[in-house]
Amino acid sequence: MAYNLLKGKKGIIFGALDENSIAWKTAERVHEEGGTFVLTNAPIAMRMGQIKELASKTNSEIIPADATNEEDLQNLVTQAMEILGGKLDFVLHSIGMSVNVRKGRAYTDEKYDFTAKGWDVSALSFHKVMQSLYKSDAMNQWGSIVALTYMAAQRTFPDYNDMADNKAYLESVARSFGYFFGKEKKVRVNTISQSPTPTTAGQGVKGFDGFISYAEKMSPLGNASAADCADYTVSLFSDLTKKVTMQNLFHDGGFSNTGVSQEVIDAFTK
């Protein structure tokens, strides 16, 4: 059901790869709620995914951009405002990648060139995106910037590897830049700490099926799906959350506040 929550609002959505991705689901929901946007992803990711299908479905244009490249980001922001006819109201940062994970390197055996690349793509890119928006004065007052994170930023999940460090940095950037964006531009910056979700990127983490199964057993409401996350993101883009900023918002069915569930106890006492 659509409520026209984003009617007249304009923005940029980073990271839509295929129909399993949260960014893809969010783009569909933003479109249903009356928002317009440009889609962007790194050129290599665009070749791997089906972003053109999403663009056609949502009447959106695509602007390729490497989120680690300041020149690309400046071009993206400038073009987006030209295409959409003015300043932006929302931005979704849905980007994450660990070369160490892809290459099977353990956390205790990182290759630091890989670590630096993953940090740049997954975390520093969020600062670069916001700095580009900030310097261009590209956001309307009461606009909303959201990035996706995971609870490994606060708790240890051994196979999540250096992505946990990246997410911790990402959340810190949201708080720090959120202060300046709020104080000077009246723009909100938040992160959503989502349940483990079977996206293309998520499934690359060793033991990911175990993550999902365990979280499902622990969460009183069960895991939040990609579609659920899209709904939550829409609420943060809307005017209904104008005073919510600098928050890391858990969207995980209650997992983050559950010490242990009866299902997990039963599994260990059979």
Side-chain angles (χ1 to χ4, degrees):
M1 182 180 293
Y3 305 93
N4 277 328
L5 288 175
L6 304 180
K7 186 176 181 180
K9 294 191 180 296
K10 307 177 290 289
I12 300 173
I13 295 178
F14 286 81
L17 182 66
D18 56 38
E19 62 184 5
N20 295 318
S21 68
I22 292 171
W24 184 292
K25 300 293 186 187
T26 300
E28 291 177 330
R29 285 293 291 119
V30 169
H31 178 65
E32 289 170 5
E33 291 295 342
T36 56
F37 48 85
V38 297
L39 296 164
T40 185
N41 213 328
I44 187 170
M46 291 176 62
R47 290 195 294 272
M48 293 167 54
Q50 296 97 43
I51 194 171
K52 290 181 180 178
E53 177 188 330
L54 179 62
S56 176
K57 183 176 182 180
T58 58
N59 300 316
S60 305
E61 292 196 37
I62 304 168
I63 304 174
D66 177 351
T68 68
N69 184 295
E70 294 174 67
E71 185 177 339
D72 275 15
L73 289 172
Q74 185 56 59
N75 178 62
L76 168 65
V77 170
T78 301
Q79 281 197 51
M81 287 194 289
E82 289 174 358
I83 290 167
L84 297 170
K87 292 186 180 184
L88 310 175
D89 302 291
F90 61 85
V91 174
L92 175 65
H93 179 284
S94 180
I95 306 169
M97 183 276 296
S98 166
V99 185
N100 282 307
V101 169
R102 287 184 178 179
K103 299 292 187 180
R105 305 285 297 229
Y107 189 75
T108 53
D109 185 35
E110 288 188 11
K111 183 175 180 181
Y112 293 121
D113 286 348
F114 292 170
T115 305
K117 180 62 176 176
W119 167 72
D120 197 10
V121 171
S122 304
L124 189 61
S125 66
F126 191 38
H127 192 286
K128 292 178 180 180
V129 167
M130 287 197 285
Q131 185 164 287
S132 297
L133 295 165
Y134 184 88
K135 287 186 173 181
S136 297
D137 194 23
M139 298 295 295
N140 280 318
Q141 283 198 353
W142 306 111
S144 177
I145 301 170
V146 173
L148 300 181
T149 185
Y150 181 54
M151 203 176 67
Q154 289 83 35
R155 298 187 190 176
T156 301
F157 294 83
D159 291 324
Y160 204 62
N161 209 305
D162 58 335
M163 276 303 298
D165 302 333
N166 295 337
K167 292 301 188 185
Y169 189 94
L170 178 88
E171 292 174 18
S172 181
V173 167
R175 290 187 295 271
S176 297
F177 223 126
Y179 172 83
F180 294 102
F181 247 132
K183 196 78 174 173
E184 299 175 25
K185 309 283 189 180
K186 293 292 184 289
V187 171
R188 297 162 280 160
V189 181
N190 295 288
T191 53
I192 296 175
S193 188
Q194 168 70 1
S195 296
T197 309
T199 61
T200 301
Q203 289 173 350
V205 177
K206 180 183 175 184
F208 193 73
D209 288 345
F211 274 11
I212 291 180
S213 178
Y214 173 69
E216 181 70 29
K217 287 181 170 62
M218 280 283 288
S219 307
L221 296 179
N223 288 334
S225 68
D228 292 330
C229 190
D231 286 338
Y232 194 37
T233 305
V234 164
S235 76
L236 290 174
F237 286 166
S238 79
D239 291 335
L240 299 177
T241 51
K242 287 174 72 170
K243 293 299 177 75
V244 180
T245 195
M246 299 165 63
Q247 302 298 310
N248 180 46
L249 301 162
F250 290 99
H251 185 248
D252 59 9
F255 178 90
S256 50
N257 274 330
T258 302
V260 70
S261 68
Q262 191 60 49
E263 291 89 340
V264 169
I265 291 172
D266 291 345
F268 280 97
T269 56
K270 287 181 180 176

